Amino acid sequence: MMRRLLSALVRAYRLFLSPSLGSSCRFEPTCSLYALQALEKHGAAMGSYLTLARIARCHPWCAGGLDPVPTASPRLFGRLLSPSEKKPS
């Protein structure tokens, strides 16, 4: 349910606000499309994390370019959700 709500907010941004701001995204796919793909592929929590990390990377000194949504879970969430492996001593 949360994923659908977040996706609806992003879609509303794309429909109402984005056209008046113009296209100025440095990345491909655009940040809003990236957000929709991340939410669909990874769910509300991880999708939001990936989206916020992407937006944080967008600044005037960033080169931008192709930046697709990762297929694997981000490492931060991977450690929290999967059982930890014991290292040999």
Side-chain angles (χ1 to χ4, degrees):
M1 181 165 134
M2 191 61 157
R3 179 180 67 186
R4 281 189 268 169
L5 174 65
L6 292 170
S7 293
L9 288 172
V10 174
R11 288 187 206 293
Y13 163 80
R14 289 176 59 102
L15 183 63
F16 298 113
L17 192 57
S18 183
S20 64
L21 296 176
S23 179
S24 62
C25 192
R26 299 174 181 282
F27 293 103
E28 180 64 36
T30 63
C31 291
S32 58
L33 183 57
Y34 182 94
L36 290 172
Q37 291 173 353
L39 289 167
E40 183 65 33
K41 189 177 283 189
H42 295 290
M46 272 188 252
S48 296
Y49 168 77
L50 287 168
T51 300
L52 291 174
R54 168 61 127 36
I55 291 171
R57 288 193 309 265
C58 189
H59 51 77
W61 303 279
C62 174
L66 182 62
D67 183 27
V69 175
T71 55
S73 296
R75 191 166 194 169
L76 171 69
F77 284 93
R79 287 183 183 171
L80 295 175
L81 297 177
S82 64
S84 60
E85 297 178 13
K86 292 187 176 186
K87 295 180 181 178
S89 308

